[in-house]
Amino acid sequence: MRTQVVIVGGGPSGMLLGQLLHREGIDNVVLERRDRAHVLSRIRAGVLEQGLIGLMEAAGVADRLHREGYVHEGTNLSFDGQMFRLNLSALAGKPVIVYGQTEVTRDLYDARAAAGLPLIDTAEDVAIHGADGDRPHVTYTRHGVEHRIDCDFVAGCDGFHGVSRRTVPGTVRRDYEKVYPFGWLGILSQTPPVSHELIYAGSDAGFALCSMRNANLSRYYVQCAAMDRVEDWSDDRFWAELGRRLPAHVAEALVTGPSIEKSIAPLRSFVTEPMRWGRLFLVGDAAHIVPPTGAKGLNTAASDVHYLWQALARHYRANDAEGLERYSEQALLRVWKAERFSWSLTMLLHRFPDQTGFDRRMQAAEIAFLRDNHAAQVAFAQNYVGLPY
Ligand code: RFL
Ligand code: PHB
């Protein structure tokens, strides 16, 4: 088989890129290791920046998002029981939209199926060959049979544990990493959200986040120990811990119920450089990870997709390679800013095992500055709603 672009990974990055390239008349094949049901059962991101929404529109898959997504004009921060709201629209000129990553991915899968575009799922042993030459190809095994696809370019959209990043030789690659000494325990429950806007809460007992998916579906997180397992956390323990970390009036209003999903995510900051090796381009979680505190993971994947889509369009339309040449540098510039914001919000709101009284006072002072200073609020809001592409 031959195509113009092989996309390794059928998560949101790969599927969005595939749809945008298709609209540009660029042939592509998506290779995904799992089946559709598995990909669509992952509960992850919830907050979408305007940049990602613009890409969904350009891909022709934004109708349901506009119908069912929740426009959030503001967000709340709480520290040691004191809460304040930041009006994102007033401070940064735009809101964010709350619409689950699961739904984004579902819309992209439906659109790809409707357009009859090739998506090969349950593809095993995917391997990328000759990316540093002119004629790359990708091999994979499906139902015990090995296949080969020849192509012009490979987009590595296969997440943090994928094969694409590992294809770039160690002599070329530089990895930057920070692992945090805690995780996030997240639950989904069929209860009305305690607040119609998000609450990011720092407290003596640790971090907590109140988020939502719809009027009767809440998404809550609490900071947990890095070693904790889901079995350590009964629903009762979760609700008690969440309540303890929120302002009293919010905790009193919490509607609790059985969890319908419960999972633990480790927290990590990670960037690999460069994001291009010859004809292989790394996109999204394959190249970088942020702790979820700023809701930047999926949104940063989206800006990579934007740069690569534009660069490939320019190459095929005008035989102009400049966008491809600049991809890594351009994407990384924005990636590092998202890394900085996510890292700083993580440092601000979590309890660290070795934290001193001085460190806690520093957190409290920074929160007080943000609460009282307009310029600090503008900077926060600009980062939260998403820096320009
Ligand atoms: P994904 O979603 O990991 O998709 C990669 C796909 O590649 C497949 N794959 C392979 N396919 C073929 N061959 C191989 N060898 C392969 N290896 C892997 C995988 O099966 C998968 O389908 O990466 P992608 O597309 O770059 O998307 C990135 C986002 O998923 C991620 O950044 C966000 O979920 C992060 N994130 C958040 N981001 C936000 O922007 N806002 C949020 O509010 C937000 N909240 C979160 C989050 C991530 C979380 N967890 C669980 C890590 C909350 C949480 C709890
Ligand atoms: C979510 O709704 O899952 C969510 C929201 C905001 C974050 C992280 C996750 O910062």
Side-chain angles (χ1 to χ4, degrees):
M1 195 199 287
R2 186 178 164 83
T3 189
Q4 288 173 303
V5 181
V6 170
I7 298 174
V8 182
S13 303
M15 296 300 286
L16 181 57
L17 180 66
Q19 214 56 29
L20 290 164
L21 293 180
H22 164 65
R23 291 211 142 197
E24 199 59 50
I26 301 170
D27 289 340
N28 61 86
V29 175
V30 173
L31 282 179
E32 165 58 47
R33 191 174 54 167
R34 305 296 199 138
D35 62 22
R36 177 189 159 116
H38 180 95
V39 173
L40 294 182
S41 68
R42 296 187 188 121
I43 313 287
R44 287 185 171 179
V47 176
L48 312 187
E49 297 174 358
Q50 294 300 323
L52 170 51
I53 292 155
L55 290 174
M56 294 285 283
E57 286 165 356
V61 290
D63 289 353
R64 194 162 72 96
L65 159 67
H66 284 304
R67 249 190 350 262
E68 296 178 14
Y70 289 76
V71 176
H72 281 201
E73 304 278 355
T75 195
N76 302 287
L77 291 173
S78 144
F79 197 77
D80 289 345
Q82 303 291 316
M83 188 158 88
F84 58 97
R85 176 175 188 264
L86 296 177
N87 185 329
L88 300 168
S89 297
L91 292 161
K94 42 193 166 184
V96 290
I97 294 204
V98 171
Y99 186 71
Q101 175 171 331
T102 317
E103 307 310 316
V104 169
T105 313
R106 182 185 305 282
D107 294 342
L108 287 162
Y109 269 75
D110 288 350
R112 194 160 181 101
L117 304 176
L119 187 160
I120 299 163
D121 69 357
T122 60
E124 294 168 52
D125 303 325
V126 172
I128 301 162
H129 311 271
D132 54 339
D134 288 338
R135 294 165 182 278
H137 70 276
V138 178
T139 54
Y140 65 95
T141 307
R142 195 162 190 268
H143 301 322
V145 181
E146 187 169 312
H147 299 266
R148 169 181 172 138
I149 312 178
D150 291 279
C151 57
D152 301 335
F153 300 101
V154 179
C157 303
D158 49 354
F160 186 65
H161 300 288
V163 68
S164 298
R165 186 177 66 255
R166 283 181 278 121
T167 302
V168 181
T171 47
V172 174
R173 229 174 81 196
R174 279 188 76 175
D175 293 347
Y176 299 87
E177 183 169 45
K178 180 176 178 69
V179 176
Y180 301 87
F182 40 73
W184 276 21
L185 169 68
I187 71 154
L188 205 56
S189 78
Q190 276 165 334
T191 50
V194 69
S195 161
H196 71 282
E197 290 176 345
L198 272 57
I199 303 174
Y200 289 87
S203 80
D204 266 347
F207 173 79
L209 171 61
C210 305
S211 183
M212 48 95 69
R213 290 293 179 272
N214 64 44
N216 198 41
L217 193 57
S218 300
R219 180 75 168 151
Y220 295 112
Y221 298 93
V222 294
Q223 172 184 353
C224 63
M227 292 297 136
D228 280 4
R229 293 162 312 148
V230 169
E231 305 78 71
D232 301 333
W233 285 86
S234 66
D235 286 356
D236 286 345
R237 181 177 172 206
F238 180 89
W239 292 116
E241 202 51 51
L242 177 64
R244 211 148 75 87
R245 300 176 186 197
L246 298 172
H249 72 280
V250 178
E252 275 158 30
L254 260 182
V255 181
T256 64
S259 63
I260 55 171
E261 195 265 357
K262 196 185 279 172
S263 52
I264 293 183
L267 262 68
R268 174 197 312 273
S269 297
F270 176 90
V271 180
T272 196
E273 294 185 350
M275 284 172 60
R276 172 197 179 190
W277 183 55
R279 288 174 174 259
L280 167 63
F281 295 83
L282 301 179
V283 179
D285 279 16
H288 42 78
I289 297 287
V290 288
T293 324
K296 290 288 157 247
L298 176 62
N299 291 303
T300 309
S303 60
D304 296 349
V305 167
H306 167 86
Y307 296 128
L308 187 56
W309 162 51
Q310 293 289 302
L312 287 167
R314 202 163 150 185
H315 167 80
Y316 283 110
R317 257 194 244 142
N319 198 22
D320 176 350
E322 197 190 325
L324 294 172
E325 297 293 344
R326 289 197 52 216
Y327 169 75
S328 177
E329 182 196 336
Q330 209 173 19
L332 282 166
L333 192 61
R334 192 173 185 282
V335 164
W336 277 113
K337 291 177 186 166
E339 290 284 343
R340 189 207 64 80
F341 180 67
S342 308
W343 160 83
S344 70
L345 205 53
T346 304
M347 300 302 284
L348 181 62
L349 294 174
H350 289 76
R351 279 304 307 245
F352 286 74
D354 57 354
Q355 210 163 28
T356 63
F358 180 85
D359 297 331
R360 288 294 285 163
R361 283 286 192 277
M362 286 297 99
Q363 289 179 324
E366 193 171 337
I367 283 280
F369 184 66
L370 182 58
R371 185 193 57 216
D372 300 337
N373 184 281
H374 183 73
Q377 292 173 4
V378 170
F380 178 96
Q382 286 180 341
N383 278 283
Y384 193 80
V385 304
L387 298 173
Y389 286 1

